Amino acid sequence: MTPRTTGLSSATDSAVDGLRRDFTGEVLALGDSAYDEARTVFNGMIDRRPAVVAQCASETDVARSVRFAREHGLEIAVRGGGHSVAGMSSTDGGLVVDLRRMNGVTVAPADQAARIGGGALNRDLDRATQAYGLATTGGRVSTTGVGGFVLGGGSGWLERSFGLACDNLVAAELVTADGSTVHASLDENPELFWALHGGGGNFGVVTSFTLNLYELPAMSYVMLLYRPEDGPEVMRTYRDLMASAPDGAGGAFLYFTAPPEDFVPEHLVLTLICAVLITWTGPPGEAADVARPALAIGHEAEVISGIPYTELQCMLDDPPGLRNYWSAEYLDSLPDEAVDLFCARAPDMPVPSNSQLVLFPMGGAVARGPVDHPLPWRAAPWAVHPFGAWESPSDDERGTQWVRRLRADVSPWSGGAVYLNFIGREGEDRVVAGLGAENYARLAAVKATYDPDNVFHLNHNVEPASLAR
């Protein structure tokens, strides 16, 4: 059965002091001045108090932390960016392997590759690679951790050009459940390497990733704002233009609360609006050509501009501490009826808030990617992502119901598979759907090899085949 935390049990103060000795990073426990900051994660709904936060600065620190937790019966959570909407990067009474100090990025421009520490954020990666005119698919916000992002598959603005993040994974170093260090690549531990392409953090603590990079000499975008009642017409236009758009085009159709920014007309600020965002791996004039059908519809505001990729990645950043609830559906088709239901649900989201109702176009290099990775959703042409984020607990019921009802509205067109990084805890069936039933069985066998006791279960969990009921 899955091990659960028993609090500090035999991990007395003296035992924690023993862990601190020769620890390169810092070990924090309840009462330490930095403890509260260290235990806080992105989602304000999550308020957990681990017994120990091991802020690792080296692979040796990670291995010692894993062995310590196992010796003292402590549940293990692994924290990279801390963006897990379900709070899987923390634990009550257990030990957090906190990788944030391990955030270095080393770029090899001649090889068009980068080696990234397990605690790096997307902004760390993007800033390092942009200096060489290079990039790879990152998340759609700069504060997402590279580790969880890549291990879950990795969907972002550049995916139609460069594939999913995990498609660009060249190698990984990880500490397994017994504290051993393992290298995974096509040539070394290839079955484990396969499992890291969407199987999440089930197999160990990944301390470094090597990713392929691509030349990205220019980046631009078009942002068009419309009144919410124009949403169905605008969404159909966006659907049709993206269905035939070049791979260099990405972006989204979305509803959100208009922010108090210079490009937003004053009468729209803090009201519900809909928008077309087109990202383009080239100059702004070409981006405008792609967006021409949407530009032809009467709109309230427009921005057509070149932008460094690092700045594009920050455009939709949300502050930490908001109350978050997300989900997703991946659609096999997007008929007019689905468009109408999507748009009709937008007014139900909390407004004003940081919530967004988003439609992402897939296709391009995503659809052409390796078919054997445990990512059955990559073939879907559209992703619907209700992203709930608000301040007050009084909006919890409204926000969560909005997300669930939107999912139900579009479910007739869903293929069932889902990108697990976009969802919280939605049950074992959703995990299996997100990975594919055959893939799940294969992942369970890999899990049994590297984590037979299911030590790393705070994730979208794959039970080891040895524990399967």
Side-chain angles (χ1 to χ4, degrees):
M1 60 184 292
T2 298
R4 298 295 175 190
T5 182
T6 57
L8 271 179
S9 61
S10 62
T12 60
D13 289 347
S14 61
V16 174
D17 287 340
L19 177 61
R20 288 188 172 107
R21 283 194 293 273
D22 300 322
F23 201 85
T24 312
E26 187 171 4
V27 176
L28 301 171
L30 186 66
D32 290 334
S33 60
Y35 171 81
D36 278 332
E37 185 281 328
R39 74 177 180 86
T40 301
V41 294
F42 177 79
N43 188 354
M45 286 185 173
I46 309 301
D47 184 22
R48 297 191 178 133
R49 287 172 169 75
V52 181
V53 179
Q55 296 186 322
C56 303
S58 68
E59 193 170 70
T60 301
D61 284 352
V62 173
R64 288 190 62 201
S65 300
V66 170
R67 288 194 292 265
F68 178 89
R70 298 207 66 187
E71 289 167 5
H72 296 282
L74 298 176
E75 183 177 58
I76 295 176
V78 181
R79 176 174 185 155
H83 257 247
S84 163
V85 69
M88 295 174 183
S89 41
S90 190
T91 168
D92 273 323
L95 182 144
V96 175
V97 178
D98 187 338
L99 302 175
R100 284 178 290 175
R101 294 181 180 222
M102 301 173 65
N103 64 350
V105 179
T106 303
V107 179
D111 298 329
Q112 292 195 193
R115 190 172 188 271
I116 306 120
L121 303 181
N122 269 272
R123 66 186 178 210
D124 300 317
L125 172 60
D126 298 336
R127 290 168 183 171
T129 58
Q130 185 167 282
Y132 299 93
L134 301 171
T136 194
T137 302
R140 294 179 176 89
V141 297
S142 69
T143 54
T144 301
V146 173
F149 175 72
V150 172
L151 294 173
S155 173
W157 300 129
L158 297 179
E159 65 190 357
R160 284 169 49 88
S161 294
F162 304 146
L164 298 171
C166 74
D167 296 342
N168 294 298
L169 181 63
V170 176
E173 299 279 345
L174 61 161
V175 173
T176 57
D178 63 359
S180 301
T181 300
V182 175
H183 179 82
S185 67
L186 278 174
D187 300 322
E188 192 172 352
N189 299 305
E191 192 69 359
L192 173 61
F193 185 62
W194 169 83
L196 300 179
H197 289 74
N202 274 285
F203 312 100
V205 183
V206 180
T207 56
S208 75
F209 300 81
T210 301
L211 298 178
N212 285 322
L213 305 177
Y214 302 86
E215 292 183 2
L216 187 65
M219 193 80 208
S220 57
Y221 76 103
V222 176
M223 173 71 87
L224 305 173
L225 303 186
Y226 305 83
R227 293 182 179 274
E229 57 265 29
D230 296 327
E233 177 190 3
V234 176
M235 187 173 175
R236 290 185 183 97
T237 300
Y238 178 77
R239 173 196 63 190
D240 295 344
L241 78 86
M242 285 305 303
S244 59
D247 291 353
F253 172 84
L254 65 162
Y255 285 89
F256 63 106
T257 299
E261 300 287 350
D262 291 342
F263 71 94
V264 178
E266 187 174 351
H267 67 279
L268 294 179
V269 170
L270 300 183
T271 69
L272 180 69
I273 58 170
C274 69
V276 164
L277 171 64
I278 292 176
T279 62
W280 177 250
T281 54
E286 294 177 359
D289 287 340
V290 174
R292 196 166 304 283
L295 282 162
I297 302 174
H299 47 280
E300 297 288 316
E302 70 176 60
V303 180
I304 303 173
S305 178
I307 188 172
Y309 178 59
T310 53
E311 292 184 22
L312 175 68
Q313 287 289 75
C314 298
M315 277 179 53
L316 297 181
D317 280 1
D318 279 323
L322 296 178
R323 303 176 72 79
N324 283 257
Y325 186 83
W326 322 333
S327 194
E329 290 292 344
Y330 278 66
L331 308 186
D332 292 334
S333 63
L334 187 62
D336 287 350
E337 184 181 358
V339 169
D340 291 340
L341 289 169
F342 180 101
C343 294
R345 189 61 68 184
D348 293 347
M349 77 169 75
V351 175
S353 76
N354 289 65
S355 301
Q356 302 165 22
L357 176 53
V358 192
L359 174 78
F360 292 122
M362 306 297 287
V366 177
R368 295 192 302 271
V371 296
D372 69 322
H373 291 168
L375 301 168
W377 46 270
R378 75 155 69 240
W382 301 103
V384 169
H385 183 32
F387 178 97
W390 52 85
E391 292 186 15
S392 173
S394 64
D395 282 327
D396 286 357
E397 178 66 19
R398 176 184 177 186
T400 55
Q401 288 302 314
W402 161 66
V403 170
R404 291 167 182 162
R405 288 167 180 160
L406 187 281
R407 270 195 61 207
D409 289 342
V410 300
S411 62
W413 300 278
S414 171
V418 62
Y419 176 38
L420 296 177
N421 282 358
F422 273 176
I423 73 172
R425 294 186 184 275
E426 296 184 5
E428 183 180 358
D429 288 348
R430 282 281 269 177
V431 174
V432 175
L435 299 169
E438 291 185 10
N439 293 326
Y440 186 93
R442 184 176 170 187
L443 290 165
V446 179
K447 178 82 168 178
T449 299
Y450 292 94
D451 183 14
D453 298 321
N454 206 11
V455 170
F456 300 112
H457 59 266
L458 289 178
N459 43 48
H460 291 295
N461 193 231
V462 174
E463 274 207 344
S466 55
L467 294 182
R469 297 175 181 83

